[in-house]
Amino acid sequence: MRTNIVVLVALLVLPLSLYAKDKRDFTETFPLDECTFGNEGGNRYFILQPGRELHYDNSDCVEEGDCDELEALTITVTDALQDIMFDGEMISTRVVEEFETADGEFAEQSFNYFAVCQETGDVYYFGEEVFVPDGDQPGAWLAGQEGAMPGIIMPGGAFLLGARYYQEVAPGVALDRAEHTAMGLDVEVPAGAFEDCVEVTETTPLDKKEESTKLYCPNIGLVVDDDLELIGIVE
């Protein structure tokens, strides 16, 4: 992958060996009752602006011989809203579509439901529907059903290095969790060069071998998702 990342000299980044031994719990309960939820806005690293499209692919990885197939991803903040009944309250969430292809063939489509806590800027994840070519719906869940709770996809306010929290809280189905592993990064991808970016490492207790690294940049959002790099934005 051609992504260029520069860590500023003054940046405090915890050693990888420390993360490997880190036994701190991930936060899984959040002050939801203190939030007034909205479905537009978001925060500097996660933007809920209807009509906004972000396009990604792994063409550099393919050209370098490190990837076997050309993958492409489009993330669209749609005009659609999804009402979700949670804890006796109807939450109006924004529908964000992710559409993935592999070598030009359909691979996966998901509809993700997000709402922003207007008091804090935290963007909460309320569930998703997933569709794959064989018709299955792997990992589909909805807050308020079968014990599932909202998680945080991206906190508002300051980005705290070392913060750990669940993004999805659907027991036995979806338990993605995030850890803030770096900040103050300069990142260059096909869509441009960006400063003051942050790194989030995602894992899940459902598969201890699974790990994903994502980079987010201010006022842009997701820029790198493992081998996928941002190649363009449609506002």
Side-chain angles (χ1 to χ4, degrees):
M1 185 171 65
R2 187 187 57 79
T3 308
N4 297 315
I5 305 175
V6 178
V7 182
L8 301 183
V9 175
L11 170 66
L12 170 63
V13 179
L14 301 181
L16 291 177
S17 59
L18 180 57
Y19 286 116
K21 300 176 182 177
D22 197 340
K23 301 299 183 182
R24 292 175 300 123
D25 290 336
F26 289 80
T27 300
E28 59 181 301
T29 57
F30 307 98
L32 298 165
D33 57 348
E34 299 176 9
C35 288
T36 304
F37 285 105
N39 50 49
E40 289 191 36
N43 58 56
R44 67 196 303 236
Y45 295 117
F46 201 95
I47 302 166
L48 293 178
Q49 175 186 318
R52 193 168 191 262
E53 293 182 8
L54 296 95
H55 297 268
Y56 309 81
D57 70 24
N58 67 337
S59 56
D60 285 339
C61 183
V62 172
E63 291 174 5
E64 293 171 5
D66 296 325
C67 295
D68 296 328
E69 57 184 7
L70 178 62
E71 299 176 6
L73 167 67
T74 299
I75 298 177
T76 303
V77 182
T78 74
D79 293 326
L81 301 175
Q82 176 69 41
D83 289 337
I84 296 176
M85 178 62 71
F86 177 75
D87 198 25
E89 181 181 356
M90 188 68 75
I91 308 295
S92 178
T93 66
R94 178 64 54 184
V95 180
V96 176
E97 179 194 28
E98 297 187 11
F99 190 87
E100 304 175 40
T101 62
D103 286 336
E105 298 293 328
F106 168 65
E108 183 176 302
Q109 182 182 35
S110 65
F111 296 96
N112 306 275
Y113 308 131
F114 300 109
V116 57
C117 176
Q118 296 181 357
E119 288 78 6
T120 63
D122 298 338
V123 178
Y124 280 88
Y125 196 6
F126 278 82
E128 67 174 323
E129 290 185 87
V130 184
F131 302 92
V132 293
D134 63 8
D136 286 343
Q137 291 187 286
W141 66 282
L142 203 63
Q145 297 185 8
E146 299 183 1
M149 300 283 290
I152 288 183
I153 196 68
M154 179 60 72
F159 184 89
L160 301 178
L161 197 63
R164 305 176 117 199
Y165 50 89
Y166 275 87
Q167 298 171 313
E168 303 172 309
V169 189
V173 178
L175 291 171
D176 284 3
R177 55 196 185 183
E179 181 169 359
H180 296 179
T181 45
M183 58 189 292
L185 305 176
D186 291 344
V187 179
E188 183 177 353
V189 293
F194 308 103
E195 299 178 346
D196 197 25
C197 303
V198 298
E199 179 184 87
V200 176
T201 299
E202 296 181 351
T203 56
T204 174
L206 299 178
D207 184 352
K208 295 184 178 180
K209 295 182 179 179
E210 185 177 335
E211 182 174 298
S212 178
T213 301
K214 295 183 178 180
L215 303 179
Y216 295 83
C217 298
N219 305 314
I220 300 296
L222 181 65
V223 170
V224 174
D225 183 355
D226 290 330
D227 295 321
L228 294 169
E229 300 177 339
L230 182 67
I231 60 173
I233 301 175
V234 178
E235 299 286 356

